[in-house]
Amino acid sequence: MKNTYFLLIALVIAISGMSAQSAYEIGDLVEDFKLKNIDGKMMSMTDAKNAKGFVLIFTCNHCPFSIAYEDRIIALDKAYKKKGYQVIAINPNDPSIEAAKDDSYELMQQRAKDKKFKFPYLFDEGQLVFPKFGATKTPDCFIVQKSAAGLKLVYKGAFDDNKEEKEVKQKYIANAIDALLAGKSPEPAVTKAFGCGIKCNDKTKLQTKKG
Amino acid sequence: MRLSAFLYLTVLLTIFYSCNNKVTEHRQSSNSVSASEPQKILKTKMGTEVLVYSFDAFEKNLLQRKEPSVTYVINFWATWCGPCVAELPYFFKLEEQYSGKDVRFVYVSLDFLKNLETKLLPFLEKRNIRNKVVVLDQKDVNSWMSKIDKKWSGAIPATLIYNSKRRVFLEQNFESSEELEKALNEIID
């Protein structure tokens, strides 16, 4: 009987420990994911054998911030894919929530077609991937670099320093990739992204975590 | 010989210092004139003004007010943010309830600058919003977001409530004016 109690307590501790899992910090190895792309196929980062790394951008259809960055994301992908860093866009929103009704899988397909996305646009079904990265809004960006040890987080935060494209002074993502290509570490490695809160009914997934 | 060298050095240093000082003084004064003024003033059809601030001016005018008895409720919102628009009526209701008291409400729009005339003003006009709305230019947002609060992840709605004694930053949306009032009462004496 006592043993059962101990087991139960251990289980409770293990579960609560899991839900309090903190988001990746710079330098951490990140887990690969397997998410459905707009072409109906499942995609993982390890599928891209020749890539040096990836720019993961949590973004969506409805958010005006995301929309303001679409053309910049397309241009970045075009400029850096041939250098080994491709964009992977991921929609983290729950489309069953009224505010995110424009972010359904079907409307993602439509949006990608309309804007002629040349990069994957994945659906974080079940909302399991974005909490691991600690993404809280759209757009929220993360750069992972392939290393001997695995996929390493090297940058997280904003795409650049101004939502108004004409006023941009610091192109954080482009500068970070340039640094990586030159064998250096991105500086800054952490910035703060601004945008629409990720639409999720489970608020524990959106807790602002350390870092 | 030594004394004259010393004097010479002192004079040189004094000149250097005073020149330097003048430069900084000049820079400071030119800054403070422009830095506390709005970049632009818009007007709704109702005749209410909407001031557009850079962060420096915003900080001077809205974050560093220290009148001992006044509490400020600073709500960050945008017309494009659904949850922000949904909670505005709760703020307006509470603002009316506290109209005779030492509480000032300010609604800081983070709308796109190119949309101010096409989205923000029509939004205010359609709803006949005459409350104090200002626009914050998000230029170089990473340099100032933490000056509002270090914990701010960058999502809105978010609300700052402060007075000379206490301060709270709430990155959340409110479901009722009662919920907001509870947060306000924790700051007011």
Side-chain angles (χ1 to χ4, degrees):
Chain A
M1 193 60 193
K2 248 185 186 171
N3 270 343
T4 331
Y5 274 131
F6 276 127
L7 268 176
L8 215 75
I9 291 166
L11 198 72
V12 167
I13 292 169
I15 291 171
S16 58
M18 269 157 65
S19 63
Q21 173 200 35
S22 61
Y24 299 133
E25 302 282 350
I26 296 301
D28 284 356
L29 293 179
V30 312
E31 232 178 280
D32 201 359
F33 45 71
K34 196 167 191 179
L35 296 173
K36 195 161 139 193
N37 194 7
I38 34 155
D39 62 5
K41 293 179 188 148
M42 300 303 281
M43 190 194 163
S44 298
M45 286 186 272
T46 40
D47 293 343
K49 298 275 182 272
N50 297 322
K52 290 177 185 158
F54 305 92
V55 183
L56 308 180
I57 304 181
F58 292 93
T59 186
C60 66
N61 289 354
H62 88 273
C63 168
F65 251 85
S66 294
I67 294 166
Y69 274 100
E70 271 175 347
D71 291 339
R72 278 175 260 185
I73 293 170
I74 292 168
L76 180 99
D77 180 64
K78 197 176 169 208
Y80 285 96
K81 192 182 268 167
K82 51 183 184 270
K83 295 181 182 173
Y85 283 84
Q86 69 164 95
V87 168
I88 300 178
I90 304 172
N91 168 21
N93 287 338
D94 175 357
S96 74
I97 296 171
E98 176 62 21
K101 62 180 189 309
D102 292 341
D103 299 329
S104 69
Y105 180 70
E106 292 71 29
L107 292 172
M108 284 170 61
Q109 290 177 311
Q110 188 59 48
R111 187 83 198 154
K113 200 175 152 196
D114 292 348
K115 291 295 290 183
K116 300 188 176 71
F117 286 175
K118 297 278 195 301
F119 46 82
Y121 188 17
L122 313 180
F123 184 42
D124 187 5
E125 199 162 9
Q127 303 188 296
L128 297 173
V129 174
F130 86 76
K132 290 184 184 169
F133 283 88
T136 50
K137 63 207 82 70
T138 56
D140 208 343
C141 309
F142 299 83
I143 303 180
V144 295
Q145 186 184 31
K146 272 192 187 172
S147 72
L151 298 159
K152 197 170 75 176
L153 184 69
V154 289
Y155 173 86
K156 63 172 179 178
F159 188 92
D160 57 32
D161 68 346
N162 206 314
K163 63 182 178 190
E164 325 272 343
E165 193 171 359
K166 281 184 215 152
E167 304 273 334
V168 171
K169 297 267 184 333
Q170 295 284 328
K171 297 181 172 182
Y172 298 127
I173 292 280
N175 294 347
I177 305 174
D178 287 340
L180 293 169
L181 290 171
K184 294 178 198 148
S185 298
E187 183 56 48
V190 180
T191 60
K192 276 189 177 182
F194 204 94
C196 307
I198 289 176
K199 305 296 180 281
C200 181
N201 280 326
D202 181 356
K203 297 295 173 223
T204 62
K205 290 183 177 178
L206 289 168
Q207 271 164 10
T208 316
K209 288 164 186 146
K210 202 183 135 217
Chain B
M1 187 59 198
R2 252 194 202 165
L3 187 71
S4 66
F6 176 72
L7 272 175
Y8 180 68
L9 197 71
T10 314
V11 169
L12 249 181
L13 273 174
T14 314
I15 291 170
F16 178 73
Y17 181 73
S18 63
C19 280
N20 214 21
N21 217 22
K22 230 177 235 169
V23 172
T24 35
E25 240 170 48
H26 176 70
R27 204 178 288 151
Q28 268 172 358
S29 67
S30 69
N31 242 357
S32 63
V33 170
S34 60
S36 61
E37 299 290 322
Q39 291 178 354
K40 205 174 172 185
I41 300 174
L42 303 166
K43 220 169 202 173
T44 62
K45 282 180 191 154
M46 298 91 76
T48 48
E49 283 186 344
V50 175
L51 307 182
V52 183
Y53 285 120
S54 67
F55 181 75
D56 285 347
F58 174 78
E59 191 179 30
K60 287 199 176 69
N61 287 295
L62 294 165
L63 293 182
Q64 297 172 340
R65 308 275 290 261
K66 292 272 162 20
E67 288 92 329
S69 59
V70 180
T71 299
Y72 294 89
V73 179
I74 311 226
N75 173 247
F76 295 89
W77 73 291
T79 59
W80 50 260
C81 162
C84 303
V85 171
E87 71 171 6
L88 280 179
Y90 309 135
F91 279 77
F92 297 159
K93 189 178 167 200
L94 197 68
E95 182 175 358
E96 210 177 321
Q97 280 177 34
Y98 279 75
S99 60
K101 305 200 169 91
D102 277 340
V103 182
R104 308 274 175 275
F105 288 73
V106 183
Y107 304 90
V108 183
S109 153
L110 297 170
D111 275 273
F112 289 79
L113 297 181
K114 63 171 190 285
N115 291 343
L116 300 181
E117 273 97 350
T118 54
K119 299 236 168 89
L120 178 64
L121 293 185
F123 177 93
L124 300 174
E125 285 157 0
K126 197 176 157 205
R127 290 171 172 74
N128 196 24
I129 296 170
R130 294 159 187 267
N131 310 63
K132 187 174 172 64
V133 173
V134 303
V135 175
L136 175 55
D137 179 349
Q138 276 182 275
K139 186 181 285 175
D140 201 13
V141 59
N142 264 277
S143 73
W144 56 253
M145 214 193 300
S146 61
K147 289 187 190 168
I148 292 173
D149 197 273
K150 284 202 173 65
K151 291 197 305 278
W152 195 0
S153 85
I156 51 173
T159 300
L160 170 70
I161 307 176
Y162 81 95
N163 57 28
S164 55
K165 289 185 192 137
R166 279 185 281 274
R167 177 182 208 283
V168 66
F169 183 79
L170 302 157
E171 188 173 336
Q172 65 167 84
N173 56 315
F174 290 93
E175 310 277 351
S176 66
S177 62
E178 289 76 21
E179 193 189 352
L180 177 62
E181 185 172 22
K182 215 178 136 210
L184 174 63
N185 283 333
E186 287 187 14
I187 300 301
I188 300 179
D189 276 322

